[in-house]
């Protein structure tokens, strides 16, 4: 078998670094350190996961699943390549029942070298992969566009089927948790870690400081709030993608449970010595956050980063959006969706605009100088001093 030293003579070294691996990308990202190689099992790598890997400054990503199947147009692989991060998918022929997965072969702290498409751990061959290219992404995007109609039909059928089963819960009287935070008559800000959530939070920062809404973080949305300099009043979710730092920040906690009352996230909360309310309901945690705000009398609900379309839900691993549809029907016009609002404010000031502003600001000064002799004398003195400096 060829060794690393022999292959380096003919094959390019794509990346080298210590390994960090996990079957759940959302659990892997918080543990990553700069320049490590991330090994994951994430079919159709989504945009939020890719942004997390980019922010972690990984040197490469090795995916034991197909990063882009062409089922729908996921942007994760494209974002990684645009950021200059090599992405390698394991060759499908290497994945079968008799050959162990790469995640079974390597462990955190192993040193990996990627040469061409070959993986070496501690100078030992660990498997063969295929570098994902921009050309391949373009081809998969074309396939995804052809598949979009079929995927949309499946998505709508699933949504309507689940909506028929869940409508009694969402349209009937809902339980109201006994929270300490006062919501009645106030604005409520619900933050989810969806696409553009960071930019949207910056765009509405003035609104948050001025209106002082009840701030609700949905799972990792609580961390997004803390990173943006805002403190969550309430954290809602199954508590699987929020950090200990956020959970212990002093916010009230509402654990989203299954309809049968099981709440797996409660165990983690209790392990931190914290108390939490439990809310048993179908649907997503962001739906529950909006419903609770609505039922507790919020005058307006502003949503940031929420999932609103088919791509959002497919990237989240959900095949329909029944609960979200029913939630929005119940909340009605009280809901303002701020997702993507930052895209409205991307214009930059041109030199022409800057010149107009400067000229406009000088007009009041000129008028004042014309009617006030004191101002005229001051300006004359300044003119003479400047003239002396350049003589």
């Amino acid at each position: 078998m060829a060794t690393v030293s022999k292959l380096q003579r003919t094959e390019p070294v794509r990346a080298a670094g210590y390994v960090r691996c996990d079957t759940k990308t959302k659990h892997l990202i918080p543990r990553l350190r700069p320049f490590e190689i991330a090994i994951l099992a994430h079919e159709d790598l989504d945009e939020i996961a890719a942004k997390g890997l980019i922010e972690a400054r990984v040197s490469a990503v090795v995916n034991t699943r197909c990063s882009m199947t062409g089922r729908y147009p996921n942007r994760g692989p494209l974002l990684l390549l645009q950021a200059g991060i090599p992405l390698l998918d394991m060759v499908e022929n290497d994945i079968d029942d008799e050959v162990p997965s790469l995640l079974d072969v390597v462990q955190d702290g192993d040193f990996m070298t990627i040469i061409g498409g070959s993986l070496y751990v501690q100078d030992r061959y660990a498997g063969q992969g295929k570098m994902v290219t921009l050309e391949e992404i373009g081809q998969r995007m074309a396939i995804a566009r052809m598949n979009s109609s079929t995927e949309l039909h499946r998505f709508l059928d699933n949504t309507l089927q689940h909506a028929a089963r869940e409508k009694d819960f969402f349209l009937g009287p809902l339980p109201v948790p006994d929270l300490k935070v006062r919501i009645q008559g106030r604005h409520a800000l619900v933050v989810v870690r969806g696409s553009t959530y960071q930019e949207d939070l910056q765009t509405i920062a003035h609104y948050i400081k001025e209106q002082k809404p009840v701030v609700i973080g949905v799972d990792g949305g609580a961390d997004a709030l803390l990173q943006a300099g805002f403190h969550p009043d309430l954290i809602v979710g199954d508590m699987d993608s929020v950090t200990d730092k956020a959970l212990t920040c002093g916010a009230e906690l509402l654990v989203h449970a299954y309809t049968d009352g099981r709440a797996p996230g409660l165990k983690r909360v209790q392990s931190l010595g914290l108390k939490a309310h439990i809310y048993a309901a179908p649907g997503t945690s962001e739906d529950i956050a909006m419903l609770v705000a609505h039922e507790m009398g919020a005058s307006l609900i502003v949503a940031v980063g929420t999932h609103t379309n088919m791509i959002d839900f497919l990237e989240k691993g959900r095949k329909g959006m029944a609960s979200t549809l029913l939630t929005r029907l119940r909340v009605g016009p009280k809901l303002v969706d701020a997702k993507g609002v930052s895209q409205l404010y991307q214009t930059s000031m041109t030199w022409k605009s800057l010149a107009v502003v400067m000229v406009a600001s000088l007009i009041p000064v000129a008028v004042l100088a014309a009617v006030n002799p004191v101002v005229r004398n001051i300006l004359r003195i300044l003119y003479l001093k400047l003239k002396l400096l350049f003589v």
Side-chain angles (χ1 to χ4, degrees):
M1 183 179 297
T3 64
V4 175
S5 58
K6 290 180 180 179
L7 282 172
Q8 281 177 334
R9 299 172 188 170
T10 57
E11 301 262 4
V13 177
R14 301 283 186 175
Y18 292 102
V19 164
R20 189 77 58 177
C21 51
D22 204 303
T23 55
K24 296 285 187 180
T25 309
K26 63 183 178 182
H27 295 162
L28 171 64
I29 290 174
R31 299 192 295 113
L32 285 167
R33 298 172 185 171
F35 311 116
E36 288 185 330
I37 295 176
I39 300 181
L40 42 88
H42 195 145
E43 185 169 277
D44 289 320
L45 189 66
D46 62 87
E47 180 177 343
I48 298 300
K51 287 182 176 179
L53 293 165
I54 292 168
E55 290 172 3
R57 297 166 58 198
V58 295
S59 62
V61 175
V62 178
N63 196 351
T64 60
R65 300 293 183 267
C66 183
S67 296
M68 189 173 193
T69 63
R71 189 165 62 93
Y72 65 93
N74 58 305
R75 295 184 66 243
L78 178 61
L79 293 179
L80 286 178
L81 266 59
Q82 288 178 336
I85 298 175
L87 172 61
L88 184 143
D89 281 359
M90 298 302 293
V91 176
E92 294 181 0
N93 292 339
D94 277 359
I95 303 175
D96 57 43
D97 295 335
E98 297 181 0
V99 179
S101 166
L102 182 66
L103 287 165
D104 297 324
V105 175
V106 300
Q107 56 186 326
D108 287 357
D110 285 346
F111 191 85
M112 173 174 283
T113 306
I114 302 176
I115 302 176
S118 301
L119 308 179
Y120 290 85
V121 176
Q122 318 291 61
D123 208 29
R124 300 189 310 272
Y125 178 75
Q128 184 70 25
K130 183 176 184 295
M131 300 301 300
V132 178
T133 64
L134 288 172
E135 181 182 2
E136 184 179 357
I137 289 175
Q139 294 171 351
R140 295 292 174 92
M141 282 290 189
I143 294 172
R145 284 191 288 270
M146 289 189 292
N147 291 336
S148 60
S149 178
T150 301
E151 201 64 44
L152 180 59
H153 275 88
R154 291 174 183 167
F155 187 82
L156 288 174
D157 286 343
N158 183 282
T159 296
L160 295 174
Q161 289 171 14
H162 281 80
R165 291 199 294 265
E166 298 173 1
K167 65 180 181 181
D168 290 339
F169 174 87
F170 285 92
L171 303 181
L174 296 179
V176 180
D178 185 21
L179 300 178
K180 294 179 182 178
V181 61
R182 183 180 67 83
I183 299 180
Q184 179 70 38
R186 299 174 63 188
H187 289 195
L189 175 69
V190 177
V191 178
V192 183
R193 290 189 71 173
S195 60
T196 74
Y197 74 93
Q198 292 172 313
E199 298 87 347
D200 292 343
L201 272 178
Q202 292 175 0
T203 301
I204 65 169
H206 181 72
Y207 155 79
I208 299 172
K209 293 174 182 177
E210 187 179 78
Q211 292 293 327
K212 295 181 172 54
V214 177
V215 180
I216 304 174
V218 179
D219 275 322
D223 290 289
L225 284 162
L226 290 173
Q227 291 167 6
F230 301 108
H231 190 282
D233 300 303
L234 175 67
I235 299 175
V236 180
D238 50 21
M239 308 304 172
D240 68 340
S241 57
V242 57
T243 64
D244 290 350
K245 178 182 177 182
L247 287 175
T248 56
C249 74
E252 278 194 89
L253 306 178
L254 183 66
V255 178
H256 181 195
Y258 295 110
T259 52
D260 61 8
R262 289 180 296 117
L266 183 61
K267 184 176 180 181
R268 181 184 175 199
V269 172
Q270 292 174 335
S271 70
L272 295 171
L274 302 172
K275 295 181 179 180
H277 306 273
I278 298 177
Y279 199 96
T284 67
S285 296
E286 63 192 71
D287 298 330
I288 304 309
M290 292 180 195
L291 288 172
V292 168
H294 173 69
E295 297 303 308
M296 293 189 69
S299 60
L300 186 73
I301 300 171
V302 179
V304 171
T306 52
H307 300 84
T308 57
N309 57 66
M310 182 182 76
I311 303 300
D312 283 347
F313 280 89
L314 290 176
E315 290 199 329
K316 191 176 171 62
R318 300 180 71 89
K319 299 178 180 179
M321 55 181 292
S323 62
T324 295
L325 174 63
L326 295 170
T327 295
R328 288 170 183 261
L329 285 174
R330 181 164 188 129
V331 174
K334 189 183 289 187
L335 176 64
V336 175
D337 202 325
K339 179 182 177 179
V341 69
S342 59
Q343 304 300 309
L344 298 174
Y345 300 98
Q346 290 189 335
T347 57
S348 57
M349 181 172 283
T350 63
W351 282 107
K352 184 178 179 180
S353 302
L354 184 60
V356 171
V357 171
M358 291 179 67
V359 170
S361 65
L362 290 174
I363 291 175
V365 177
V367 172
L368 186 61
V371 299
N372 192 314
V374 175
V375 175
R376 284 203 304 271
N377 288 333
I378 292 173
L379 291 175
R380 188 179 295 112
I381 292 170
L382 289 173
Y383 168 73
L384 292 172
K385 285 189 174 182
L386 288 171
K387 187 175 181 180
L388 288 172
L389 286 173
F390 294 100
V391 171

